[in-house]
Every structure is written in C-alpha cells, then in structure tokens.
Amino acid sequence: DTTGEKASAATIHFQNQSKKLENNQDLSDIKTVLAEIIAETQDLTETSKTLQTQLDESKKEMQLLRQELAQAHETAKTDALTGLFNRRAFDQQLDKHIKIHKKNDFELSLLILDLDHFKRVNDTFGHQVGDNVLRYTAHLIKQHIAENHYAARYGGEEMAVIMPNTPFSKAMEIAEKIRSSLAQHPLKRKGSKESIGKVTVSIGVSGFKKDDSTESLIERADKAMYRAKDNGRNQVMAENFV
C-alpha cells in the first residue's frame, strides 16, 4: 500500500514536472526541475528496494507456513503412537480405493489384524510395554507390505492394511509373513533381558467383490479375524467365500 501510494504521488509529480519542462526554457529552472525529478526517482527506488526486501521476507514466511501446513496435514492423518495411518485416514483411503476399484476393476484386498491376549501384556508388564509392542508390530507390518499398501491403526490393538492392486492370494501370503515373523521372535523388555514372551496376532483377510461397500469389505475381514481368534489365535483366516 505504501509503495503504491508513493508511486501514484510520484507519477503526478513527474507529470507536473514534465509540464514545467515543456513551458520553461530557462536553464537554471530546468536544472531545478531535473534535480527534483532525480530526487523523486531516488526516493521511489529506495521504496522499491524496501518493498523487495519485504516481499523476500514474506516469501520465506510463506514457504515456512507451507511446510508447517504440510506437516500438520501429515500429523492429522497419522497415529501418534505407531506412526501408521489413523482411523480417519484409513476410512478415507479405503473409500477412495473402493471408488477406484469400481472404475478400473483393479484387485483390492484388506487385512484386519488384532494382537492376541494384548490386555494380558498391559496388565502384566504395564502400558508402556504395551505401547512398545504396538510400535514393534506396526514396524513389522510396514516391513512386509508393499509401497502402495496403507497400514493403519484401526483401534486399540487392532490394525488394518489396505492393499490396492493386490490379488487375494498375495494378501494371504503377506498376512502369513506378518503373523509368522511376529510369532517366531519372543519379545524382551526394552533396556532389560526380561522376556515378555511370544506375542502373536490373528489376521482376517477379505477381497473386494462386486457391489461391495466399505462396510461389507471391512465386515468380512473382521469376521475372518474373529474366526481366527475362535480357532485358537495366531493364525490367518480367509473370508468365507461361500
């Protein structure tokens, strides 16, 4: 605003000085007018430099704000404890990929995972250890899934993985790798040699079917996971195709 006001004033001033030059042939008067024009030009140049400095500072502030906004956006969709997507982001991604699937007929699979006897871990070793077990499990899941998969903390000790462009057989294979990797490495308390024992997970797997909704795809994976629980835990169960 300040620069604009000064530029407008300078324009008027230059116009007036121009008229003086047109109507004045006296050399000393011409010199005076030119001196005023030069002074006005220098003042306008300084104002422009000030504006440029302020614009550069504003640009830096905008870049910082853009970075902070991007970070806030990431934080808003990430579970703070595990680093996986949170439930809200999971719902958004699943809705998105179901719509993509319906348009392009890509294969889409879903895993629902639930840690076995997790309450016992919390009750025996405390919630800090329980949190570490959740972090470890989340890290293990991310090691086995593909780059185009989306792992999320579904709620409590329950996690989920959205698997776009993934056949059902491949989803079952990845689920089994996650289950066996967790089961074959007994965990120890961080900073000590005290054993937590074997931590296991039950996993249900569903594959997208014609006319599926978000709810029906989740429901079948969830039911398969509970069948794995009822069948003795520490196993992968496919949805019932019958």
Side-chain angles (χ1 to χ4, degrees):
D1 289 346
T2 302
T3 304
E5 289 170 4
K6 286 196 174 185
S8 296
T11 299
I12 295 169
H13 183 71
F14 288 148
Q15 288 171 347
N16 292 334
Q17 299 292 28
S18 179
K19 288 177 183 177
K20 286 182 183 179
L21 288 174
E22 289 173 4
N23 301 325
N24 202 325
Q25 300 297 321
D26 187 79
L27 186 59
S28 69
D29 289 342
I30 290 174
K31 286 182 177 179
T32 301
V33 171
L34 289 175
E36 291 177 0
I37 289 174
I38 290 168
E40 186 76 31
T41 303
Q42 288 174 337
D43 184 51
L44 196 59
T45 300
E46 289 302 314
T47 302
S48 296
K49 286 181 180 178
T50 301
L51 175 63
Q52 186 60 52
T53 300
Q54 291 173 339
L55 286 173
D56 289 342
E57 290 174 358
S58 295
K59 185 178 178 181
K60 290 177 184 177
E61 289 178 8
M62 287 174 68
Q63 287 173 337
L64 182 61
L65 286 170
R66 204 173 281 120
Q67 290 170 358
E68 290 176 353
L69 184 62
Q71 186 177 1
H73 181 69
E74 285 300 313
T75 301
K77 64 182 185 181
T78 303
D79 175 63
L81 178 63
T82 62
L84 302 179
F85 280 107
N86 58 26
R87 177 61 185 272
R88 180 170 175 268
F90 167 82
D91 290 339
Q92 290 173 343
Q93 286 294 334
L94 189 57
D95 284 341
K96 170 186 165 184
H97 282 92
I98 283 179
K99 288 174 183 174
I100 291 172
H101 175 90
K102 287 183 175 180
K103 286 181 180 178
N104 301 286
D105 199 29
F106 293 144
E107 292 182 281
L108 176 66
S109 299
L110 177 68
L111 309 187
I112 297 288
L113 312 89
D114 191 83
L115 288 169
D116 299 324
H117 302 300
F118 185 71
K119 184 177 183 301
R120 190 165 63 194
V121 174
N122 275 335
D123 292 345
T124 305
F125 299 101
H127 288 280
Q128 186 64 52
V129 171
D131 287 350
N132 288 337
V133 170
L134 288 173
R135 290 190 191 97
Y136 176 80
T137 305
H139 177 70
L140 187 145
I141 289 170
K142 286 192 281 189
Q143 283 185 320
H144 288 287
I145 62 177
E147 287 184 7
N148 66 319
H149 294 167
Y150 299 87
R153 187 179 181 191
Y154 193 68
E157 67 270 25
E158 202 168 6
M159 300 178 194
V161 183
I162 303 167
M163 297 180 159
N165 303 331
T166 305
F168 188 84
S169 58
K170 183 64 176 177
M172 288 288 291
E173 180 185 320
I174 293 172
E176 177 56 29
K177 285 181 179 178
I178 293 170
R179 185 209 64 76
S180 61
S181 294
L182 185 62
Q184 68 186 353
H185 293 109
L187 303 182
K188 293 182 180 179
R189 230 174 151 162
K190 194 173 181 180
S192 76
K193 294 183 179 180
E194 183 184 1
S195 175
I196 299 172
K198 186 165 72 172
V199 176
T200 62
V201 65
S202 297
I203 306 175
V205 187
S206 63
F208 189 86
K209 297 179 182 179
K210 186 180 178 181
D211 299 327
D212 247 339
S213 65
T214 303
E215 293 75 18
S216 60
L217 184 63
I218 292 173
E219 184 181 10
R220 291 201 310 278
D222 207 41
K223 285 182 177 179
M225 183 270 291
Y226 279 109
R227 284 202 307 276
K229 293 275 189 189
D230 294 340
N231 204 43
R233 296 181 171 84
N234 187 27
Q235 56 189 276
V236 177
M237 189 72 72
E239 65 174 322
N240 187 355
F241 281 98
V242 178

